[in-house]
Amino acid sequence: MENTTIQPIKNIIFDLGGVLITFDPPGFIEKVIEPAEVQSRCHTLIFKGPEWIGMDRGQLTAEQAKQGMIERDPEMRPQVERFFQTWFDMFHTIDETVPILEELRAKGFHLYILSNYIRECYVYVRKKFRFFDYFEGEVISSHEGYAKPEKEIYECLLQKYNLKAEECLFTDDMEVNVEGARAVGINTIRFQSAQQFREELKKRGIL
């Protein structure tokens, strides 16, 4: 059950992956990794191991993470190297969400980013996608050393931009991250699709 807004919402906070930018690890692994019988093993090695978390927190560079993965499973070296050669191809704009940013800005809402994102990947998407121009501020996990759903990263955004939690609305495609925002008093919408998000905003009188 989503928490209800009490104070008027002034600030809308967006996650990136799965909301504004595509992020489908199994689908990407299936697309770029061969042979097919090692795809599941490769996915687990890359996305479920400590190195990915280390990159998210800014504790490891991509090169350090790659070497760590190879050391844990040397037989997967070709697949791991292939992944890191192509991983920026994972990221595309979710075009249906971008017009919502435009509408929110036109209505006078302040827009912010709060996302778990690897430093090298963030540098890439920040330069590539023009929708970042709609945002007034950002908190990125690899820059701060914290990651959602830890309360510190939500508090970091509130403190950095002098925001009141009850005046903020946060959207993320992962329930655990939505719950983390609720825990510090931020209003939330679990993002499932651009259309569903738009309808939720309408219900709240935001759009």
Side-chain angles (χ1 to χ4, degrees):
M1 180 78 113
E2 300 290 1
N3 53 332
T4 58
T5 58
I6 298 174
Q7 299 295 322
I9 296 298
K10 298 179 180 179
N11 314 294
I12 316 292
I13 306 166
F14 285 80
D15 176 38
L16 289 175
V19 176
L20 285 161
I21 299 173
T22 56
F23 185 64
D24 177 19
F28 186 71
I29 290 292
E30 185 176 341
K31 180 179 178 181
V32 302
I33 298 301
E34 296 179 344
E37 55 264 28
V38 303
Q39 289 172 352
S40 177
R41 177 178 169 186
C42 186
H43 176 269
T44 299
L45 175 65
I46 293 172
F47 291 99
K48 302 299 183 181
E51 295 87 5
W52 193 268
I53 298 171
M55 287 192 290
D56 254 352
R57 294 179 181 276
Q59 297 165 341
L60 295 176
T61 65
E63 182 61 29
Q64 290 170 330
K66 180 177 74 172
Q67 293 306 317
M69 293 170 189
I70 292 171
E71 288 173 10
R72 287 196 296 114
D73 194 345
E75 292 181 357
M76 295 296 292
R77 175 186 286 272
Q79 289 80 13
V80 171
E81 291 184 342
R82 167 67 175 162
F83 173 80
F84 279 97
Q85 289 166 358
T86 60
W87 66 330
F88 290 163
D89 294 339
M90 279 194 293
F91 308 125
H92 304 278
T93 304
I94 299 177
D95 293 329
E96 297 83 359
T97 313
V98 175
I100 298 176
L101 298 180
E102 298 171 352
E103 293 173 43
L104 290 170
R105 276 296 298 272
K107 285 182 171 289
F109 290 97
H110 305 284
L111 307 184
Y112 298 90
I113 294 167
L114 177 61
S115 188
N116 290 353
Y117 233 79
I118 294 166
R119 188 179 299 273
E120 291 90 344
C121 296
Y122 188 69
V123 169
Y124 173 79
V125 299
R126 188 70 174 79
K127 291 179 179 178
K128 181 173 182 178
F129 300 130
R130 295 184 62 184
F131 68 72
F132 283 95
D133 293 341
Y134 291 113
F135 291 96
E136 297 181 31
E138 62 197 26
V139 165
I140 305 299
S141 63
S142 57
H143 299 174
E144 305 298 337
Y146 299 108
K148 296 176 297 182
E150 296 167 344
K151 68 176 184 179
E152 288 88 353
I153 196 165
Y154 304 96
E155 292 171 344
C156 178
L157 180 75
L158 297 176
Q159 294 167 7
K160 185 174 182 180
Y161 297 104
N162 195 28
L163 307 178
K164 296 179 180 179
E166 63 271 18
E167 295 178 346
C168 295
L169 175 69
F170 172 65
T171 189
D172 193 296
D173 62 317
M174 296 182 63
E175 181 62 28
V176 65
N177 295 338
V178 169
E179 291 173 357
R182 288 195 203 115
V184 299
I186 297 173
N187 301 284
T188 62
I189 294 174
R190 167 82 181 276
F191 187 96
Q192 298 173 357
S193 70
Q195 182 60 36
Q196 166 264 343
F197 181 56
R198 179 183 292 278
E199 291 302 319
E200 291 287 345
L201 292 174
K202 288 180 179 178
K203 289 178 185 178
R204 297 170 186 240
I206 292 172
L207 280 183

